[in-house]
Amino acid sequence: TQNYRKLTSWLEAFPPSQTNLNTLKLEVDVEMPQVRIPKHQFLLELHAYIHEKLGVPSTVSLEESELEQISLTGYLPQGDLVLQGPVSGYFCGEKRWTSPFAPRKPMQSPSDASLLKCMETDCKELNLKAQFLHHLPDISLLTKRLTILNLSFNMLKILPSSIFTATNLNELYLRNNPLLLIPEEIDNLVCLRTLSVSFCLLEDLPHSIYSLSYLKELDVSYNRIKRISHKVGNLRELTFLNLEGNELPGLPIELAHLQWLKYLKVTNNFMHSFIWNDYLNTQPDVSS
């Protein structure tokens, strides 16, 4: 209390010198914010617009909604588009997204969204990675222009024939699928530069794979492959070869003739100097 009295008496002895309040007048013109279109309004208009173009009856119409007209250019693909995407494995077989207008009916599967994304890239790159697909959607309309196809981390046991009609394909990724074999039609992909089939269930490689003369990167690691054919010497453009995690007792001498090969990975196999010598001396090349 005594300190408080000393402090108040000291403040009374030195009154504040400022008596007027400083004011600052802003003379800069501030632009008015643009009217924002609510998300709900956009969804209503988009829903009505799609149904109007497809000729399907809709619960919402552009006339009845009395909402502002907005341009949908860039949001919808040009021309008629029919998607036949399979149901993915998300959430016990149900599709990932549902429509706000019909909550119990699926609106779009992840594979459909990937197909639309592919069309935005001029149908050159299709990414269906990690969608738990048991079979592929219809990609027959894309195969003529497709250059990159990623099917890694799915549930594919058999590769559909439609893949091998993509003759302009440069990169094919099939990692982490329960694939038991690669079809002989793989040689149809004459432009293939990169092939990744790691972490699958392959026990052998098809003979036709060695006819891919433009192949530069081949990854077949962590399968059950027991033998590499001497025809691997035909892959003259090969720069990267990953054979890790297989059951290989040895390698063919033709690998030494690949002059552009820079990276060769063979760890975690059954290779030993004694096994390798026996393998080279006694085992015939059944693929010849």
Side-chain angles (χ1 to χ4, degrees):
T1 304
Q2 186 177 3
N3 291 336
Y4 174 75
R5 291 176 179 176
K6 290 182 179 180
L7 179 60
T8 53
S9 60
W10 183 81
L11 291 175
E12 291 176 357
F14 299 94
S17 58
Q18 182 176 349
T19 57
N20 298 326
L21 180 63
N22 293 331
T23 58
L24 178 62
K25 183 178 180 181
L26 296 177
E27 298 180 354
V28 181
D29 295 334
V30 180
E31 296 181 0
M32 295 299 295
Q34 297 181 357
V35 179
R36 186 180 68 86
I37 300 175
K39 182 179 179 180
H40 180 67
Q41 173 183 337
F42 173 77
L43 289 175
L44 289 175
E45 294 182 1
L46 181 60
H47 176 76
Y49 182 86
I50 292 175
H51 283 73
E52 181 181 299
K53 288 296 182 181
L54 298 178
V56 180
S58 173
T59 56
V60 180
S61 64
L62 292 175
E63 292 78 15
E64 296 175 357
S65 60
E66 297 181 355
L67 300 173
E68 289 183 359
Q69 299 295 322
I70 60 173
S71 175
L72 297 177
T73 304
Y75 291 95
L76 298 177
Q78 301 296 326
D80 296 333
L81 178 64
V82 179
L83 298 176
Q84 299 177 351
V87 178
S88 68
Y90 283 106
F91 307 115
C92 301
E94 302 228 346
K95 296 186 179 181
R96 182 185 293 176
W97 300 302
T98 56
S99 169
F101 308 102
R104 295 185 180 180
K105 296 181 180 180
M107 180 179 179
Q108 187 182 60
S109 68
S111 57
D112 290 341
S114 298
L115 288 172
L116 289 174
K117 182 67 175 179
C118 177
M119 294 175 184
E120 292 178 1
T121 61
D122 201 16
C123 302
K124 292 185 177 180
E125 181 176 355
L126 178 58
N127 188 357
L128 295 172
K129 179 180 178 181
Q131 296 187 8
F132 301 97
L133 298 176
H134 291 269
H135 61 280
L136 289 184
D138 183 11
I139 61 172
S140 57
L141 299 178
L142 308 176
T143 52
K144 292 183 179 180
R145 309 186 69 174
L146 205 60
T147 59
I148 301 175
L149 178 59
N150 192 344
L151 302 175
S152 301
F153 297 93
N154 281 292
M155 303 297 292
L156 301 175
K157 295 182 179 180
I158 300 176
L159 295 179
S161 58
S162 58
I163 294 180
F164 307 111
T165 60
T167 54
N168 293 320
L169 200 64
N170 292 333
E171 301 177 17
L172 178 59
Y173 301 96
L174 301 169
R175 173 176 174 164
N176 282 85
N177 279 282
L179 292 173
L180 296 174
L181 58 87
I182 299 177
E184 293 288 345
E185 291 82 0
I186 189 72
D187 60 351
N188 293 339
L189 306 179
V190 293
C191 297
L192 199 63
R193 264 67 170 177
T194 300
L195 176 60
S196 176
V197 206
S198 58
F199 294 91
C200 296
L201 301 177
L202 301 178
E203 295 185 358
D204 197 5
L205 296 178
H207 300 166
S208 57
I209 199 173
Y210 301 110
S211 62
L212 298 174
S213 56
Y214 292 102
L215 194 64
K216 292 187 175 182
E217 298 182 5
L218 178 59
D219 186 357
V220 292
S221 58
Y222 294 94
N223 282 279
R224 302 171 181 174
I225 299 174
K226 299 177 175 63
R227 187 179 185 85
I228 297 294
S229 170
H230 71 283
K231 292 183 179 180
V232 70
N234 296 335
L235 304 178
R236 301 184 183 277
E237 299 293 327
L238 204 63
T239 61
F240 175 88
L241 179 59
N242 191 350
L243 302 173
E244 287 182 323
N246 283 286
E247 301 176 9
L248 296 171
L251 296 176
I253 193 62
E254 285 75 11
L255 278 176
H257 300 159
L258 299 178
Q259 58 178 346
W260 301 113
L261 188 63
K262 297 180 179 180
Y263 302 97
L264 175 61
K265 299 182 178 182
V266 295
T267 56
N268 295 328
N269 276 280
F270 294 165
M271 294 184 186
H272 189 274
S273 58
F274 298 105
I275 300 177
W276 197 330
N277 292 332
D278 182 69
Y279 167 79
L280 294 176
N281 295 329
T282 61
Q283 297 294 325
D285 193 342
V286 296
S287 63
S288 59

